[in-house]
Amino acid sequence: MTHAELVQVAGRWLRRSKRCGVVLLEHRGALGEIPDAIGFRWWHSVQVECKVSVADFRADQRKPGRLSGNRELRQAAECWYLTPPGLLADCTLPDGWGLIEWDGRRVHV
């Protein structure tokens, strides 16, 4: 499973499950960060970061919007990580971030 595949899955998930009318893939945000996928539904925004390795996830944790207490530096109101099944089983997610997993057929929350 590649990062590019997960980004496409994230876009479909935002459109279908989160009902986002506008979805941007790997588009530079206002704070200079490039979220893998971000969707907008009326006044609500949803960001998805795709990770295919634990090392990439750990590197992501150093970004200002992931650090505890920096909610105002996030790109969206609702934030998720999308990974292959079990990748982050031994990892702690940042406060306020959810986890969804793609098994090759379905997204599991």
Side-chain angles (χ1 to χ4, degrees):
M1 184 171 311
T2 68
H3 182 267
E5 290 171 329
L6 284 181
V7 169
Q8 294 302 313
V9 169
R12 287 192 304 270
W13 183 76
L14 287 169
R15 285 184 194 92
R16 293 176 185 162
S17 295
K18 292 299 182 176
R19 297 188 174 142
C20 294
V22 175
V23 174
L24 303 172
L25 304 180
E26 297 181 320
H27 184 78
R28 184 174 300 280
L31 299 174
E33 186 177 334
I34 303 173
D36 292 324
I38 190 164
F40 302 92
R41 181 186 71 236
W42 294 94
W43 63 90
H44 189 72
S45 55
V46 184
Q47 177 181 351
V48 180
E49 286 298 319
C50 302
K51 301 299 171 197
V52 294
S53 74
V54 174
D56 187 20
F57 171 77
R58 293 196 195 288
D60 191 71
Q61 299 311 289
R62 293 189 290 272
K63 292 181 179 177
R66 312 304 189 268
L67 302 174
S68 181
N70 281 345
R71 289 187 84 112
E72 66 277 357
L73 296 178
R74 290 188 184 168
Q75 297 286 318
E78 185 179 340
C79 301
W80 296 85
Y81 283 103
L82 173 60
T83 69
L87 182 78
L88 301 182
D90 296 331
C91 298
T92 302
L93 297 176
D95 290 340
W97 282 73
L99 176 64
I100 51 180
E101 297 178 322
W102 171 250
D103 66 9
R105 294 181 56 220
R106 294 182 56 206
V107 171
H108 303 274
V109 178

